[in-house]
Amino acid sequence: MNAVTLKTDGSIHLSGKAVDAERLDLLSCQIALEEVYTLRCFFMMLANYALFAKLNAFFPTYAEQVQSCPEQGCDAGLLDYLEFGKTVEMIGVPDKRLEIYNSLFGVRASETSEIKSMQLASLLDVPLKLGRLKHVVFGDRVDIFEFDTVYTLFEFIDGIAWQLSFHGTPEHCELRR
């Protein structure tokens, strides 16, 4: 599988060189994140590669929100980092169903938490990492198996768009600790 590196300046590098044209074939590439990658870097990538921003109808709204944020310091200090993860979950007996989904959540002191009650402006500069695959069998969250995995550029873009689509809490209602 071809691999690309997502850089903090919003560029995508393939074989050590910046990709200067929009290429749909990159969507199937495995991704690696440059150190200290953030949601701000993600939105810079979407600005640089506008075709990828067309993958989700919410991206223009997010882009407006990002533009209205300060250029730095958009970290509420509530999280150590954001983690993009993948879950494979077997559900139900005897009618078994398998669900595979991506998620974006916050991590603080090794504890995960939902981020949908947080404003985008408080998440933009929080470090973003790729997590391991979690395998949940029959809803038993006590025994969760974790595995190394890979993420494609499409999974990453679509997964972040999906998670952010749940963000709609007005700023004055944002939960704080």
Side-chain angles (χ1 to χ4, degrees):
M1 173 180 280
N2 288 334
V4 294
T5 301
L6 307 184
K7 299 289 195 168
T8 57
D9 65 359
S11 65
I12 299 174
H13 285 230
L14 176 65
S15 301
K17 297 178 184 174
V19 176
D20 57 359
E22 298 190 52
R23 297 177 38 187
L24 288 176
D25 64 315
L26 296 180
L27 291 172
S28 64
C29 289
Q30 176 182 340
I31 62 166
L33 303 179
E34 187 173 40
E35 230 176 294
V36 195
Y37 194 86
T38 64
L39 277 180
R40 185 181 304 276
C41 304
F42 173 80
F43 285 107
M44 288 170 41
M45 178 190 70
L46 292 181
N48 291 340
Y49 303 92
L51 187 60
F52 296 151
K54 293 181 181 181
L55 291 173
N56 188 283
F58 290 109
F59 281 141
T61 304
Y62 304 148
E64 287 176 17
Q65 290 178 24
V66 170
Q67 289 296 322
S68 68
C69 292
E71 291 184 21
Q72 58 187 5
C74 293
D75 178 351
L78 300 175
L79 303 170
D80 296 332
Y81 60 93
L82 296 171
E83 185 171 294
F84 185 78
K86 185 183 298 186
T87 302
V88 174
E89 188 167 358
M90 278 177 94
I91 301 169
V93 174
D95 299 327
K96 296 175 203 91
R97 185 173 87 234
L98 183 69
E99 290 186 2
I100 303 171
Y101 55 90
N102 293 308
S103 56
L104 181 67
F105 49 89
V107 179
R108 173 116 184 162
S110 300
E111 295 291 322
T112 61
S113 62
E114 293 284 332
I115 60 169
K116 59 186 165 189
S117 64
M118 299 177 74
Q119 296 296 311
L120 186 57
S122 63
L123 297 171
L124 279 179
D125 295 322
V126 176
L128 174 59
K129 300 179 181 184
L130 298 176
R132 300 180 78 198
L133 178 138
K134 292 179 176 49
H135 183 222
V136 181
V137 181
F138 301 125
D140 183 4
R141 298 217 174 254
V142 174
D143 293 321
I144 296 177
F145 303 99
E146 292 191 19
F147 303 92
D148 290 334
T149 191
V150 298
Y151 297 93
T152 65
L153 181 57
F154 177 77
E155 286 178 308
F156 189 64
I157 293 170
D158 185 61
I160 289 177
W162 173 256
Q163 184 65 49
L164 293 180
S165 69
F166 295 102
H167 286 239
T169 307
E171 190 172 356
H172 62 277
C173 295
E174 182 177 347
L175 296 177
R176 301 212 186 265
R177 291 182 190 193

